[in-house]
Amino acid sequence: MNLDIRKNIIEKIKNDNEEQIIATINESVITNDELVLPGLGVLLELFWNKLDDSEKTSIANIIKNSIQN
């Protein structure tokens, strides 16, 4: 069985508008379900690949500060 998680996640949301994407992310975070983590990882990967080095540093700092608090 060959599952392409990235392709499936992208196909599922590619026609969604911003509100729908926000709702999908919020629902994934609120449910605290580990099964959705790969999907959130795909979204992070898509987002991350569009950032420049300065933005990546800023996001990394936010994550670091979130972990420490």
Side-chain angles (χ1 to χ4, degrees), residues 13-40:
I13 66 165
K14 77 177 185 179
N15 294 319
D16 288 0
N17 62 34
E18 290 85 359
E19 288 179 4
Q20 291 168 311
I21 292 171
I22 290 169
T24 297
I25 293 169
N26 282 337
E27 183 179 333
S28 297
V29 171
I30 290 169
T31 63
N32 203 24
D33 184 352
E34 292 190 14
L35 292 176
V36 300
L37 290 177
L40 291 173

Side-chain angles (χ1 to χ4, degrees), residues 34-65:
E34 292 190 14
L35 292 176
V36 300
L37 290 177
L40 291 173
V42 170
L43 297 181
L44 175 61
E45 178 183 33
L46 294 170
F47 172 69
W48 190 259
N49 287 335
K50 299 293 183 185
L51 301 175
D52 63 30
D53 288 341
S54 173
E55 292 167 320
K56 287 179 180 181
T57 299
S58 179
I59 298 297
N61 283 326
I62 291 169
I63 292 170
K64 179 180 177 184
N65 289 333

Side-chain angles (χ1 to χ4, degrees), residues 3-17:
L3 276 178
D4 188 341
I5 293 174
R6 282 179 184 85
K7 183 178 176 184
N8 289 337
I9 297 299
I10 292 167
E11 282 296 315
K12 183 176 179 183
I13 66 165
K14 77 177 185 179
N15 294 319
D16 288 0
N17 62 34

